[in-house]
Amino acid sequence: MKAGTAGHSRVMLALNACRSKLKAFIVGRTPVRDDADDILQEVTWQLMKVEQPVENVAAWLFRAARNEMTDRARKKRELPLSDYYSDDDEGFLAEDELAETLFGVPQSPEDEYLSQLLWDELEDAMSELPVAQREAFEKTELHGYSFKELAEETGISVQALLSRKHKAVLYLRTRLRNLYDELTEG
């Protein structure tokens, strides 16, 4: 147990010795300061979890930081509908109205008709998608699967599933935009 404690303290000494250079390295390559702090913390945590001895702690930390920044940059971040549409006069976002229409309880026959119209259009648009994109969209958006669960079920990587869903969302936004414009203008 003493050998483990000695190894741990050597790692901590090496970490403290290169911490300021590592932070400067991360800050110089990250546009948001909070992200830089998060990356530094994540890399430090990863180092603490390493079970095998690390010969060159500084090199390991810089490589881990570079990998973490790359992973974060590769993540596809979808923009919410609210980034595409502005608030209307009543303060409701288009995204809120759409969600309420699709998933809310209809309060009138008109609401019920509108909900059915939107679901029919969504189903038609989804039927035009390639099977792989449709499955990724349906299971993550309508059936509550996480990407990790879907990857385990299908054997397809999370990155590939993210890409498929992203393509589906872009197509559906474009395809359903005309209907949205018709309904809001009329």
Side-chain angles (χ1 to χ4, degrees):
M1 185 151 176
K2 238 180 178 181
T5 305
H8 182 67
S9 64
R10 279 188 296 152
V11 168
M12 291 307 293
L13 286 173
L15 173 63
N16 290 333
C18 70
R19 189 176 191 87
S20 61
K21 288 181 184 178
L22 179 62
K23 185 164 184 168
F25 173 79
I26 295 169
V27 167
R29 289 162 179 77
T30 308
V32 180
R33 182 166 175 82
D34 289 340
D35 286 348
D37 292 338
D38 289 346
I39 291 168
L40 181 62
Q41 183 176 4
E42 177 65 26
V43 171
T44 304
W45 176 247
Q46 289 173 7
L47 179 64
M48 296 300 123
K49 292 189 320 183
V50 171
E51 293 177 8
Q52 300 162 338
V54 176
E55 289 183 31
N56 187 341
V57 175
W60 188 96
L61 285 166
F62 280 87
R63 184 173 55 249
R66 194 175 307 113
N67 290 344
E68 182 68 21
M69 288 183 283
T70 300
D71 289 347
R72 287 172 182 241
R74 284 184 181 160
K75 282 186 182 175
K76 303 254 186 217
R77 293 191 180 135
E78 293 186 20
L79 297 175
L81 284 174
S82 57
D83 287 353
Y84 290 95
Y85 308 112
S86 61
D87 290 341
D88 64 13
D89 296 336
E90 298 171 12
F92 292 110
L93 296 173
E95 176 181 11
D96 296 335
E97 289 178 297
L98 183 60
E100 179 63 29
T101 302
L102 288 172
F103 301 110
V105 177
Q107 301 297 317
S108 68
E110 291 83 13
D111 290 345
E112 192 170 328
Y113 172 77
L114 183 58
S115 176
Q116 189 59 50
L117 176 69
L118 288 173
W119 275 111
D120 290 344
E121 277 298 311
L122 180 61
E123 288 174 11
D124 287 346
M126 286 179 9
S127 72
E128 298 166 3
L129 290 170
V131 175
Q133 290 178 15
R134 183 174 63 242
E135 183 179 75
F137 180 83
E138 283 179 344
K139 290 202 173 177
T140 58
E141 286 298 315
L142 303 177
H143 300 293
Y145 279 66
S146 70
F147 284 103
K148 186 177 180 181
E149 291 170 332
L150 189 56
E152 289 171 2
E153 180 182 295
T154 61
I156 299 168
S157 73
V158 170
Q159 201 62 30
L161 292 170
L162 282 166
S163 176
R164 289 175 182 181
K165 181 185 173 192
H166 180 71
K167 289 176 184 176
V169 168
L170 291 177
Y171 177 79
L172 293 172
R173 280 183 182 149
T174 302
R175 169 72 165 66
L176 297 173
R177 178 63 189 182
N178 291 337
L179 175 64
Y180 179 80
D181 288 343
E182 288 174 19
L183 292 173
T184 56
E185 290 172 6

